[in-house]
Amino acid sequence: MGVMTVSTRVRPEDLAVVAEARGHGLDMDQSKQNGGREDTMKPMEVVLAALGGCITMVALARAPKEGLDIRDLRLGMEGEYSAAGGFRTIRMTARLRSSSPEDRLVDFFHAVERVCPVSNSLKARIELEVVREQ
C-alpha cells in the first residue's frame, strides 16, 4: 500500500481539546496538575489506545488467514514516556482464549506489531511541518 493522507482538526474547548475527523469527535484533556479536569483521556493515553486498537484490528483480520484461533481478545497497553523524549517503552498485555500453540501466538503478535501502521509511526522519525492558515 502506498502513501495515504489522513487528517484531523483540533480545537480548544474550555480546558480540553476536541479532535474531529470524518464527522467523529474525540475529547482530550490534561491532568489536574496541568490545569485539566481529567474527565476524558489524555493525549498520550489516546496514543496508546490508537496503538492497541490498530494491533487488535490487524490481529483479528490476519488470524483466520494464518489458521490461528483467537477469541475474546483484550489488550492492555502501558507505556513509559517523558515529555521531551516520547515513549521509551510500551508494554502490551494480551488476554485471549485460543486453542493455538502459545509460541505461534507470541510470534503472531510480534508480526502484527511490525505491520501495524500506528506502531510503525511511533517508531519512525517524523517531520512536523507547521503551516499557518490565513
Side-chain angles (χ1 to χ4, degrees):
M1 188 178 285
V3 175
M4 301 182 323
T5 299
V6 296
S7 64
T8 187
R9 296 278 184 191
V10 179
R11 63 180 164 76
E13 187 171 284
D14 197 19
L15 296 175
V17 297
V18 177
E20 297 170 336
R22 299 178 298 106
H24 304 284
L26 170 68
D27 295 347
M28 292 176 278
D29 197 3
Q30 299 182 54
S31 64
K32 286 184 180 179
Q33 72 186 36
N34 290 329
R37 297 180 311 245
E38 288 194 31
D39 59 356
T40 63
M41 293 174 72
K42 298 179 210 170
M44 296 307 278
E45 293 166 337
V46 173
V47 171
L48 290 177
L51 177 60
C54 184
I55 289 173
T56 298
M57 288 184 269
V58 173
L60 294 178
R62 289 183 62 162
K65 296 174 186 172
E66 298 192 23
L68 290 170
D69 168 42
I70 293 180
R71 291 169 277 128
D72 301 326
L73 177 61
R74 302 286 185 268
L75 297 183
M77 309 300 292
E78 181 178 67
E80 296 172 0
Y81 78 96
S82 69
F87 279 107
R88 186 176 68 186
T89 304
I90 296 176
R91 284 175 296 287
M92 179 181 82
T93 304
R95 250 179 56 206
L96 63 137
R97 293 185 320 140
S98 179
S99 59
S100 299
E102 185 68 21
D103 60 332
R104 281 199 62 210
L105 290 170
V106 170
D107 291 344
F108 172 73
F109 277 102
H110 282 293
V112 165
E113 181 273 328
R114 285 191 297 272
V115 298
C116 167
V118 175
S119 177
N120 291 333
S121 294
L122 287 169
K123 293 184 278 185
R125 293 180 88 74
I126 300 171
E127 182 178 324
L128 175 64
E129 296 178 13
V130 178
V131 178
R132 184 174 178 270
E133 285 186 338
Q134 298 297 324

Coordinates of all heavy atoms in Angstrom, one line a residue, residues 14-17 27-46 81 83:
D14 N -13.0 24.9 26.2 CA -12.7 25.1 27.6 C -11.3 24.7 27.9 O -10.4 25.2 27.3 CB -13.7 24.3 28.5 CG -13.8 24.8 29.9 OD1 -13.4 25.9 30.2 OD2 -14.3 24.0 30.8
L15 N -11.0 23.8 28.9 CA -9.7 23.4 29.2 C -9.2 22.2 28.4 O -8.1 21.7 28.6 CB -9.5 23.2 30.7 CG -9.7 24.4 31.6 CD1 -9.7 24.0 33.0 CD2 -8.7 25.5 31.3
A16 N -10.1 21.6 27.7 CA -9.8 20.4 27.0 C -9.7 20.7 25.5 O -9.8 21.9 25.1 CB -11.0 19.4 27.1
V17 N -9.5 19.7 24.6 CA -9.5 19.9 23.2 C -10.3 18.8 22.6 O -10.6 17.8 23.1 CB -8.0 19.9 22.6 CG1 -7.2 21.0 23.1 CG2 -7.4 18.5 22.8
D27 N -12.7 13.8 22.5 CA -12.3 14.8 23.5 C -11.0 14.3 24.2 O -10.8 13.1 24.5 CB -13.3 15.0 24.6 CG -14.6 15.5 24.0 OD1 -14.6 16.0 22.9 OD2 -15.6 15.5 24.7
M28 N -10.1 15.3 24.5 CA -8.9 15.0 25.3 C -8.7 16.1 26.3 O -9.1 17.2 26.1 CB -7.7 15.0 24.3 CG -7.6 13.8 23.4 SD -6.2 13.9 22.3 CE -6.9 15.0 21.0
D29 N -8.0 15.8 27.4 CA -7.8 16.7 28.5 C -6.4 16.5 29.1 O -5.7 15.6 28.7 CB -8.9 16.4 29.6 CG -9.1 17.6 30.6 OD1 -8.4 18.6 30.4 OD2 -9.8 17.4 31.5
Q30 N -6.1 17.4 29.9 CA -4.8 17.3 30.6 C -5.0 16.8 32.0 O -6.1 16.8 32.5 CB -4.1 18.7 30.7 CG -3.8 19.3 29.4 CD -3.1 20.6 29.5 OE1 -2.1 20.7 30.2 NE2 -3.7 21.7 29.0
S31 N -3.9 16.6 32.7 CA -4.0 16.2 34.1 C -4.4 17.4 34.9 O -4.2 18.6 34.5 CB -2.7 15.7 34.6 OG -1.7 16.7 34.6
K32 N -4.9 17.2 36.1 CA -5.3 18.3 37.0 C -4.1 19.2 37.3 O -4.3 20.4 37.4 CB -6.0 17.8 38.3 CG -7.4 17.3 38.0 CD -8.0 16.9 39.3 CE -9.4 16.4 39.0 NZ -10.2 15.9 40.2
Q33 N -3.0 18.6 37.5 CA -1.8 19.4 37.9 C -1.4 20.3 36.7 O -0.7 21.3 36.9 CB -0.6 18.5 38.3 CG 0.0 17.7 37.1 CD 1.1 16.7 37.6 OE1 0.9 16.1 38.6 NE2 2.1 16.6 36.8
N34 N -1.8 20.1 35.5 CA -1.6 20.9 34.4 C -2.8 21.8 34.0 O -2.8 22.3 32.9 CB -1.1 20.1 33.2 CG 0.3 19.5 33.4 OD1 1.1 20.1 34.0 ND2 0.5 18.3 32.8
G35 N -3.7 21.8 34.9 CA -4.9 22.7 34.6 C -6.1 22.0 34.0 O -7.1 22.7 33.7
G36 N -6.0 20.7 33.8 CA -7.1 20.0 33.2 C -8.2 19.5 34.2 O -8.0 19.7 35.4
R37 N -9.2 18.9 33.7 CA -10.3 18.4 34.5 C -10.1 16.9 34.7 O -10.8 16.3 35.6 CB -11.6 18.7 33.9 CG -12.0 20.2 33.8 CD -13.3 20.3 33.2 NE -13.5 19.5 32.0 CZ -13.7 20.0 30.7 NH1 -13.7 21.3 30.5 NH2 -13.8 19.2 29.7
E38 N -9.4 16.2 33.9 CA -9.2 14.8 33.9 C -10.6 14.0 33.7 O -10.8 13.0 34.3 CB -8.5 14.3 35.2 CG -7.0 14.7 35.1 CD -6.3 14.0 36.2 OE1 -6.6 12.8 36.6 OE2 -5.3 14.5 36.7
D39 N -11.5 14.6 32.9 CA -12.7 13.9 32.7 C -12.8 13.2 31.3 O -13.8 12.7 30.9 CB -13.9 14.8 32.9 CG -13.9 16.0 32.0 OD1 -12.9 16.2 31.2 OD2 -14.9 16.8 32.0
T40 N -11.6 13.2 30.6 CA -11.5 12.5 29.4 C -10.1 11.9 29.3 O -9.3 12.1 30.2 CB -11.7 13.4 28.1 OG1 -10.7 14.4 28.2 CG2 -13.0 14.1 28.2
M41 N -9.8 11.2 28.2 CA -8.5 10.7 28.1 C -7.4 11.8 27.8 O -7.8 12.8 27.2 CB -8.4 9.6 26.9 CG -9.3 8.4 27.2 SD -9.4 7.3 25.8 CE -7.7 6.6 25.7
K42 N -6.2 11.5 28.3 CA -5.1 12.4 28.0 C -4.5 12.1 26.6 O -4.7 10.9 26.2 CB -4.0 12.3 29.0 CG -4.5 12.7 30.4 CD -3.4 12.5 31.4 CE -3.9 12.2 32.8 NZ -2.8 11.8 33.7
P43 N -3.9 13.0 25.9 CA -3.3 12.7 24.6 C -2.5 11.4 24.5 O -2.6 10.6 23.6 CB -2.6 13.9 24.2 CG -3.3 15.0 24.9 CD -3.7 14.4 26.2
M44 N -1.6 11.2 25.5 CA -0.7 10.1 25.5 C -1.5 8.8 25.7 O -1.1 7.7 25.2 CB 0.4 10.2 26.5 CG 1.4 11.4 26.2 SD 2.0 11.3 24.5 CE 3.4 10.2 24.7
E45 N -2.6 8.8 26.4 CA -3.5 7.7 26.5 C -4.2 7.4 25.2 O -4.4 6.2 24.8 CB -4.5 7.9 27.6 CG -3.9 8.0 29.0 CD -4.9 8.6 30.1 OE1 -5.8 9.3 29.7 OE2 -4.7 8.3 31.3
V46 N -4.5 8.4 24.5 CA -5.1 8.3 23.1 C -4.1 7.6 22.2 O -4.4 6.7 21.4 CB -5.6 9.6 22.6 CG1 -6.0 9.5 21.1 CG2 -6.7 10.2 23.4
Y81 N 6.9 7.3 29.3 CA 7.3 8.3 28.4 C 7.8 9.5 29.2 O 7.5 9.7 30.4 CB 6.2 8.7 27.5 CG 5.1 9.6 28.1 CD1 5.2 10.9 27.9 CD2 4.1 9.0 28.8 CE1 4.2 11.8 28.5 CE2 3.1 9.8 29.4 CZ 3.2 11.2 29.2 OH 2.2 12.0 29.8
A83 N 8.0 13.9 28.5 CA 7.5 14.9 27.5 C 8.6 15.3 26.5 O 8.3 15.6 25.3 CB 7.1 16.2 28.3

